[in-house]
Amino acid sequence: MSWNIESSKLNKSDLLTNESLFFLGNGYLGVRGNFEEGYPEDYKSIRGTYINAFHDKVDIEYGEKLHGFPDTQEKLLNIMDAQSVQIWVDDERFSLFEGELLDYQRNLWMNQGYSERTVHWRSPQGKEVNISFKRLVSFVKREVFVQEITIEPIKDVSRISIYSELESDVSNFVDPDDPRVASGHAKRLSAEDIYEKNGCHVTGAETLETRMSVCCVSKTFSDKENHTYESNIEGTTAQETYIFDGEEKVTFTKRNVYMDSLRYGKNLEEKAIQLQEEVKSYTFNDFLKEQIQYLEDFWATSDILIEGDDDLQQGIRFNMYHLLQSVGKDPKSNIAAKGLSGEGYEGHYFWDTEIYMFPFFLMTNPEIAKNLLLHRYSLLDSARQRAKEIGHTRGALFPWRTITGGESSAFFPAGTAQYHINGDIAYSYIQYYMVSGDEDFFKKEMAEVLFETSRLWLEVGHFHEGQFRIDSVTGPDEYTCIVNNNYYTNVMAKNNLLWAGKVYDHLKSEDPQRLSELMSDLDADEEEIGKWQEAAEKMFLPYNEALKINEQDDTFLQKGKWDLDATPKDKYPLLLNYHPLLLYRYQVCKQADTVLAHFLLEDFSDQETIENSYNYYEAVTTHDSSLSFCVFSIMASKLDQKEKAYDYFSKTSRLDLDNLHGNTKDGLHMANMGGTWMGIVYGFAGLRVKESNVHFSPYLPEQWGSLEFNIRYRGRLINLKLTKGKVVYTLVEGKPVDIFHHGAEVTLESGIPVEKDTKV
Ligand code: BGC
């Protein structure tokens, strides 16, 4: 049930969106779902192939450039295009937009990891063929993108010609009118001429500034001996021609290998040719077999089963599948805001990773989660440097948006000012430790990151009248910028500082040698650690007595309220229609801010404050950011507002599939995809990871017959199955473990289901 995404209508207006929805990737390589045979002249397509973190640097142009503004910005590059294959039936070129489509079907198979278009086409002159286009980006051999095209003559066909192309000279997509898409610097690759070697077409390219290189080695073949073949190379464009007589079905395969210097160093072309050699006997089906095996393992632990709503079932699987397709699985890469599905946000990594996507990997595929943390750790030196650039004397400031550590945000009020990213990163390290119990990681990477981020809080904040206050920062809500004492930032900083103290105490008793190494490397002393603890204790957390809510910041509640009801529908998202300053003057939120803090750190507030705050901020939030609905859904679950929880959840689970934000064409909303998973696991099932243990407060939405999923916790695999009024916990793998169900301890033993009422 619902293992595929299907499209059986060819609608011109959906094509760009479908390029994102049908993108294929493996965390290293990503290929948009473009049509092999191309499009009509007047049609705009974002034809793209990307390697995670493969980027160039471009200058940022400012009217007025002040101290500490970044000079350059990193930018994910579109690389050589191997997707193109034209098909001719006698003298007519195949196009979905000419002739007649007697049948058309497009599928993305999420359990098998490939996509397919099948077409029964009648040409304008009445000739008929069946064509199937299959493509796959291998999870097992990550450099490989393979296509298989099968053409079956049906009526009056005497010749089939295939023109397979490789184009090395490509550009990025730009849209000067949308701040979420790049506005310039389209051409950043210097492409080399294509040549032939070992029966392959080979090409390389180098970035203009970072001098990174990439190569593509493409090999084509068919299953029929009997054909003519010709190869024609003109500079950076190559075309291979296969001509078959039109009597029999023909299968054509194109195997493309991509390598980049970030992972493979020098002599890329030789290495890629070598890989082609190693897989020379591989057909599409051989890659497919490996793919299916890989995905069987993935789904065995990661799948979520929803009985009673096929659309949501499809939506949640789609989201998990795309998270897997986009997440970097080597220490050179992370997961971009649009994954590898498009060029929106230019391939940058944001806090989206730690707060929205990391939890899915943490609880299902901890080794991928750890890699995300290690990638951030690899950026620590740049973060130290960034702190200095701003004028801080010590500590690390992680960039708001980046690929390899340089701050890539040119708009500091909603960029660099979001210091909370430090607290978010620290939070994800702490969560990882609580879930994995990984002591080595705790002592090494976690200790260092927590110390360096703690230091920075002391640089940004100050003690005033017995309180520790943090001024001039921006919280998650980007419609309220540069404020004092943003509740979210302050509470995340408090958590960060408290945990740095715990790390200190733990190392002091368990591994004094490591502690003294660390203190000496960082030039830290006990007095400094003492200050962190004092700052944590005295952290000012704004609270409004009259409303009994946490104030978003010092002045939020004093502002006038934006009249959301009087704002015409076509003025949303507000950021595309109003100057930021106007928005900053009002109580209007782009996304969850205080409400998010209450989700992440519920123990710093009481239930009444959390509930009042939810109701208050809900009324002033536009959800113009796709990072918002999921948080409101999770918190509505916590507050027993079940209808609302379900309603918000429905808006997240198919946000891209139904193009609810209207910009899926620029890439998928990866944070939201992670958010839907959280909406189920943290929302409906009420998961919270605490220092002591893992807690659940589950309920089943009344629209569903049942809900089932697994989580990994401390080396165990725990299965939850919810039915009406009941939940069954089963320990599937690992030693007995205690968990909490609605606050009461429950011991799980291997294979013995434990049934509980979901009502408190
Ligand atoms: C949101 C940010 C987010 C960014 C990338 C913006 O619209 O406001 O919170 O990090 O998108 O997804």
Side-chain angles (χ1 to χ4, degrees), residues 242-256:
Y242 287 74
I243 300 180
F244 304 87
D245 64 36
E247 275 163 23
E248 286 181 285
K249 186 154 107 179
V250 172
T251 296
F252 167 82
T253 306
K254 188 171 186 182
R255 204 172 51 212
N256 311 295

Side-chain angles (χ1 to χ4, degrees), residues 180 337 345 350-352 400 418 476 478 575 590-591 624-627 671:
R180 299 162 299 184
Y345 290 125
F350 293 72
W351 72 309
D352 304 32
W400 177 243
Q418 297 204 45
E478 294 186 349
L575 73 124
K590 180 180 178 190
Q591 62 206 98
D624 282 349
S625 159
S626 66
L627 279 65

